[in-house]
Amino acid sequence: MSASERRQSVRTGVVWSAVREVLGSTDLAPQARIVDIGGGTGGFAVPLAELGHHVRVIDPSPDALAALDRRARESGVADRVTGQQGDLGDLAGLVEAGSVDLVLCHGVLEVVDDPAAALAAIAGVLRPGGHLSLLVAQRHAAVVARAMAGHFQAARDLLDAGTPSGHPGRAGHRFTRDELEPLLAGAGLETTSVHAVRVFADLVPGSLLDLEPGATAALVALEQAVATRPEYFPLATQLHVLARA
């Protein structure tokens, strides 16, 4: 495993475990219909297709979609991966209502102008009983990270507002668990589980993972161990929420 792969496994291990658990549930077909919003080059889409699922990636970047196509062909799953240019705001016009088993929305809700409307659009394409995998930046950790970097006013701005200085812009929204669950409920989505993601991963030097035998596996295990403990949610760089339509 390369250094970049080791770091990626630490960052995404908790999310992958939760997604695999959902896909293993009895209410999803062996070949689930999945939409990956902002799925880019296929970091989730291609492995999911390798498991036998059909994945449609919606992304605004033609370059990312071209890379997705190459990756899918090289992995032998081009027949199960479809790329389409667009973004979350286009979802209702791109995907048939009530037709999707699972929507992945990872790192996208932060940059939309209206998160509530975006979640309502996602709920609209899910079939009854379908699932949402939502990964968002978590506000409390963002405050600490800015303060540690010396950006004290930016940290202060984030304390009580979901966006830096009250504007989404490039930096995007930051969410807390207490904010997410009412947003999801307002869209008709029931939260089924919440996971803390990257509680320690961003604090551990990459050189330690590269040089210390077994460190990556041990860190992944530690992240998994605290992922569902509520006391660690405020420390997590991201929150991963599973919700059901």
Side-chain angles (χ1 to χ4, degrees):
M1 184 183 294
S2 69
S4 62
E5 288 173 334
R6 282 192 292 272
R7 295 186 184 94
Q8 188 68 4
S9 69
V10 170
R11 294 187 181 108
T12 63
V14 167
V15 178
W16 264 116
S17 293
V19 169
R20 287 193 185 97
E21 185 175 347
V22 165
L23 289 170
S25 64
T26 57
D27 65 325
L28 287 184
Q31 295 182 331
R33 297 159 297 176
I34 301 172
V35 169
D36 188 354
I37 302 168
T41 61
F44 272 82
V46 170
L48 287 171
E50 289 175 333
L51 294 174
H53 305 293
H54 295 275
V55 189
R56 186 175 181 180
V57 175
I58 297 174
D59 195 281
S61 168
D63 291 340
L65 292 175
L68 167 70
D69 181 64
R70 289 192 299 272
R71 188 173 186 173
R73 284 188 281 105
E74 290 168 0
S75 299
V77 294
D79 59 327
R80 292 196 293 275
V81 176
T82 303
Q84 188 165 13
Q85 191 168 2
D87 57 28
L88 186 45
D90 304 318
L91 187 63
L94 297 175
V95 180
E96 182 182 353
S99 66
V100 180
D101 295 308
L102 172 66
V103 170
L104 305 184
C105 183
H106 295 172
V108 177
L109 197 67
E110 293 95 321
V111 296
V112 301
D113 292 331
D114 189 341
L119 290 173
I122 291 172
V125 303
L126 285 171
R127 65 164 177 79
H131 299 264
L132 166 64
S133 170
L134 178 68
L135 184 66
V136 298
Q138 196 272 129
R139 186 191 304 169
H140 301 310
V143 171
V144 174
R146 280 163 174 73
M148 291 180 66
H151 304 308
F152 304 124
Q153 186 56 51
R156 180 66 183 85
D157 291 341
L158 270 178
L159 277 179
D160 302 312
T163 60
S165 301
H167 301 287
R170 184 177 177 183
H173 301 271
R174 298 293 184 269
F175 298 92
T176 66
R177 179 189 182 182
D178 291 341
E179 293 165 344
L180 282 174
E181 294 189 15
L183 272 174
L184 289 161
L189 297 167
E190 175 192 2
T191 299
T192 57
S193 63
V194 182
H195 306 94
V197 177
R198 292 163 59 185
V199 174
F200 307 108
D202 296 344
L203 304 176
V204 174
S207 58
L208 188 150
L209 300 182
D210 297 338
L211 300 174
E212 185 70 25
T216 297
L219 181 54
V220 170
L222 179 60
E223 291 276 358
Q224 295 277 11
V226 302
T228 57
R229 297 192 181 193
E231 63 268 31
Y232 285 92
F233 292 162
L235 304 178
T237 299
Q238 296 171 304
L239 291 176
H240 179 241
V241 180
L242 291 174
R244 186 196 301 266

